[in-house]
């Protein structure tokens, strides 16, 4: 079999033919031309066109290498007269419009970029970093256009830091199917509104049954505006985080105030007080049993923290509400200011905390996704633009279908 015939069959050429193959140093240049008067397709609607308007100057495409030989395709594109679209550049069976790499190379680059950084992928295939970025952008656009969009019932919303200086992205996750739904720049109402208006739409918003999120006001307002029937549930992780911060703030204040033996006893006890009891080692349990004998504000705060955790075990809403009200009264009566501040926050968000007993939902899967997003940023040493970072997140986390090679 001639090399020309082999390349023609690999590229699935029907209206084109390989006229010549040249080998120059480390490159193999494949010259392609139109086959006789075969009908060409419009580059927009892909309909067959009867007339050729003009011939453009020669263009080159990079293809997958043959062993260590770089493969370059050369062709002079035709501008065809389409009855539907007018004068357009023809459709190429081996490449996407405006692309400078073939579909086969683009598919290989997109697959490897899910495992490596874009720079590492570019070095592997001998491409420019911007070429890889363009391939990923096209792959993401294709995947978002072709992916399935079933009804969504339970979602989680959270923010992830993009870079220093309180710069965030908003991430929306389907907690039922465990798949990334949407990533957007910023966490303001104006920025996140695009998810409800463009990604979801009115009909899909009507299918939402529960939304798990932190207590960020912009998220709450948008859910109440676009999905008023959905039950808002504030994430357990964020609530416990606020409680631990209150206990730790009290510990720091008390340690600064204590002197003598008491200060020595409570030194380096931050994680001892914040860890769950079943995660403590034998030495830590022994030290904690010694600390709780002291009647200090730190010990009272620790007892209140452990008592609050019982709320998550309740199944009956009435009993859970009774327990929470008794706990809030005890925390107010303890005269510990950080815990009193935490109680005020709880009372203003009770409508999103008490539904826990019925839903038993958390953003644990979303927090795991955030860790994967951070690993994507770390292996690339960050992204200068939010556009590229969002494309990398979709490409690595959303399980999008990749474009076919041909």
């Amino acid at each position: 079999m001639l090399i020309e015939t082999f390349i023609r069959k690999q590229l699935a050429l029907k209206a084109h033919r390989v006229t010549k193959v040249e080998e120059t140093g480390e490159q193999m240049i494949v010259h392609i031309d139109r086959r006789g008067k075969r009908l060409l397709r419009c580059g927009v609607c892909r309909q067959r066109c009867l007339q050729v308007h003009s011939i453009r100057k020669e263009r080159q495409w990079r293809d997958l290498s043959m062993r260590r030989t770089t493969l370059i395709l050369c062709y002079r594109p035709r501008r065809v007269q389409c009855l539907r679209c007018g004068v357009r550049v023809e459709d190429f069976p081996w490449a996407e419009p405006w692309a400078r790499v073939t579909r086969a190379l683009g598919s290989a680059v997109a697959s490897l970029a899910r495992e490596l950084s874009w720079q590492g992928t570019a070095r592997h295939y001998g491409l420019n970093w911007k070429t890889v970025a363009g391939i990923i952008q096209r792959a993401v656009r294709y995947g978002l256009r072709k992916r399935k969009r079933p009804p969504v019932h339970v979602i989680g919303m959270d923010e992830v830091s993009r870079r220093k200086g309180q710069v965030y992205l908003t991430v929306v996750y389907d907690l039922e199917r465990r798949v990334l739904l949407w990533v957007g720049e910023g966490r303001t109402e104006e920025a996140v509104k695009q998810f409800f208006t463009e990604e979801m739409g009115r009909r899909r918003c009507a299918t939402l049954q529960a939304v798990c999120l932190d207590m960020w006001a912009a998220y709450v307002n948008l859910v109440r505006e676009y999905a008023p029937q959905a039950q808002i549930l504030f994430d357990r992780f964020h609530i416990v985080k606020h409680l631990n911060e209150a206990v730790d703030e009290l510990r720091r204040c008390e340690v600064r105030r204590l002197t003598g033996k008491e200060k020595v006893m409570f030194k380096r006890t931050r994680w001892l007080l914040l860890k769950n009891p079943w995660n403590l080692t034998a030495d830590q349990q022994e030290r904690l049993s010694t600390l709780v004998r002291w009647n200090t504000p730190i010990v009272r705060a620790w007892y209140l923290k452990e008592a609050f955790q019982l709320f998550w075990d309740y199944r009956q809403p009435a009993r859970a509400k009774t327990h929470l009200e008794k706990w809030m009264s005890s925390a107010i009566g303890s005269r510990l200011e950080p815990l009193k501040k935490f109680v005020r926050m709880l009372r203003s968000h009770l409508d999103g905390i008490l539904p826990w007993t019925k839903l038993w939902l958390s953003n644990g899967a979303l927090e795991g996704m955030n860790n994967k997003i951070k690993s994507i940023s770390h292996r690339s040493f960050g992204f200068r633009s939010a556009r590229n970072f969002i494309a990398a997140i979709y490409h690595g986390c959303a399980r999008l279908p990749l474009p076919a090679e041909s």
Side-chain angles (χ1 to χ4, degrees):
M1 182 185 294
L2 296 175
I3 185 66
E4 291 86 352
T5 305
F6 173 76
I7 294 175
R8 177 179 60 81
K9 289 184 177 181
Q10 290 297 312
L11 296 177
L13 302 181
K14 294 183 178 179
H16 303 80
R17 64 189 179 93
V18 178
T19 59
K20 183 173 59 173
V21 177
E22 296 179 339
E23 189 172 355
T24 59
E26 296 182 354
Q27 289 186 346
M28 182 180 290
I29 302 176
V30 179
H31 295 272
I32 300 175
D33 199 1
R34 182 186 180 190
R35 180 188 289 271
K37 294 186 178 180
R38 294 283 182 93
L39 297 183
L40 305 176
R41 294 182 181 273
C42 171
V44 178
C45 66
R46 300 197 77 251
Q47 295 295 320
R48 294 182 183 273
C49 303
L50 299 176
Q51 297 181 1
V52 174
H53 180 272
S54 59
I55 302 177
R56 307 291 295 272
K57 64 180 181 180
E58 187 176 77
R59 188 185 298 178
Q60 293 185 345
W61 291 264
R62 169 79 183 277
D63 198 5
L64 282 170
S65 300
M66 296 183 66
R67 296 184 68 85
R68 295 186 180 180
T69 304
T70 303
L71 197 61
I72 306 294
L73 307 184
C74 296
Y75 176 65
R76 296 187 66 186
R78 272 64 171 173
R79 300 180 71 205
V80 294
Q81 185 72 44
C82 179
L83 296 177
R84 180 184 297 178
C85 309
V87 179
R88 299 288 182 179
V89 177
E90 65 170 302
D91 176 68
F92 308 113
W94 59 84
E96 298 290 338
W98 305 108
R100 289 297 181 266
V101 297
T102 61
R103 288 191 178 95
L105 180 56
S107 178
V109 168
S111 298
L112 187 61
R114 283 182 168 173
E115 308 298 332
L116 299 181
S117 67
W118 291 5
Q119 186 66 54
T121 304
R123 283 196 299 266
H124 180 81
Y125 286 104
L127 299 172
N128 186 279
W129 183 90
K130 293 182 180 179
T131 303
V132 175
I135 292 172
I136 302 304
Q137 295 282 358
R138 287 194 294 273
V140 168
R141 287 196 295 270
Y142 173 88
L144 291 176
R145 190 171 63 251
K146 296 294 184 179
R147 73 172 175 177
K148 298 179 180 179
R149 298 177 181 273
V152 180
H153 302 118
V154 182
I155 63 173
M157 302 179 67
D158 199 7
E159 73 275 353
V160 60
S161 177
R162 183 170 77 83
R163 60 179 175 85
K164 292 182 179 179
Q166 303 294 317
V167 180
Y168 294 97
L169 300 177
T170 295
V171 180
V172 183
Y173 193 73
D174 187 339
L175 295 176
E176 274 189 336
R177 295 189 298 130
R178 300 298 179 97
V179 64
L180 180 69
L181 289 179
W182 184 82
V183 186
E185 184 178 4
R187 56 172 184 168
T188 63
E189 287 191 34
E190 190 64 30
V192 185
K193 183 166 63 175
Q194 297 178 11
F195 167 72
F196 293 96
T197 57
E198 298 177 11
E199 173 65 24
M200 293 288 289
R202 183 180 299 177
R203 293 183 64 181
R204 296 184 78 202
C205 283
T207 65
L208 285 176
Q209 299 174 2
V211 182
C212 189
L213 38 76
D214 58 14
M215 287 169 274
W216 185 245
Y219 296 164
V220 176
N221 294 338
L222 286 171
V223 173
R224 288 173 176 168
E225 179 180 355
Y226 291 98
Q229 80 288 345
Q231 176 63 61
I232 294 177
L233 177 65
F234 296 123
D235 184 35
R236 170 180 177 174
F237 169 82
H238 290 89
I239 296 173
V240 174
K241 178 184 175 182
H242 285 295
L243 176 59
N244 287 340
E245 287 175 351
V247 173
D248 193 49
E249 180 184 351
L250 177 67
R251 181 195 63 81
R252 290 197 302 268
C253 294
E254 287 298 312
V255 168
R256 285 194 294 266
R257 185 184 61 83
L258 294 175
T259 58
K261 187 177 180 180
E262 284 188 341
K263 187 168 186 177
V264 174
M265 287 291 298
F266 287 97
K267 192 174 182 180
R268 297 179 181 177
T269 58
R270 178 185 181 186
W271 302 114
L272 186 67
L273 297 172
L274 298 183
K275 285 176 70 173
N276 290 319
W278 54 86
N279 291 331
L280 296 174
T281 63
D283 293 339
Q284 289 174 335
Q285 290 177 358
E286 184 177 353
R287 188 181 179 192
L288 182 62
S289 64
T290 304
L291 289 178
V292 296
R293 298 171 188 170
W294 294 73
N295 186 17
T296 64
I298 299 178
V299 175
R300 295 203 304 273
W302 179 82
Y303 276 118
L304 286 170
K305 177 183 81 74
E306 293 302 318
F308 178 82
Q309 300 286 21
L310 298 175
F311 168 78
W312 309 114
D313 297 328
Y314 280 97
R315 299 291 198 279
Q316 297 85 1
R319 292 187 177 183
K321 184 177 181 181
T322 302
H323 170 79
L324 203 56
E325 288 177 347
K326 288 182 178 179
W327 185 90
M328 289 189 293
S329 299
S330 300
I332 291 294
S334 68
R335 295 176 294 179
L336 303 176
E337 191 55 39
L339 289 179
K340 291 168 67 176
K341 182 179 177 181
F342 175 72
V343 169
R344 289 193 291 269
M345 184 202 70
L346 282 184
R347 284 179 171 167
S348 62
H349 296 87
L350 276 180
D351 56 339
I353 297 175
L354 293 175
W356 160 265
T357 55
K358 295 180 179 179
L359 299 176
W360 272 61
L361 287 174
S362 75
N363 274 349
L366 182 53
E367 295 297 332
M369 178 64 67
N370 287 351
N371 291 332
K372 187 174 182 180
I373 291 172
K374 291 175 184 176
S375 71
I376 292 174
S377 178
H378 291 164
R379 77 188 182 198
S380 301
F381 297 96
F383 289 85
R384 290 181 180 270
S385 67
R387 179 171 174 264
N388 285 336
F389 191 23
I390 291 174
I393 294 172
Y394 272 126
H395 189 61
C397 303
R399 302 204 298 265
L400 298 179
L402 292 177
E405 291 188 10
S406 60

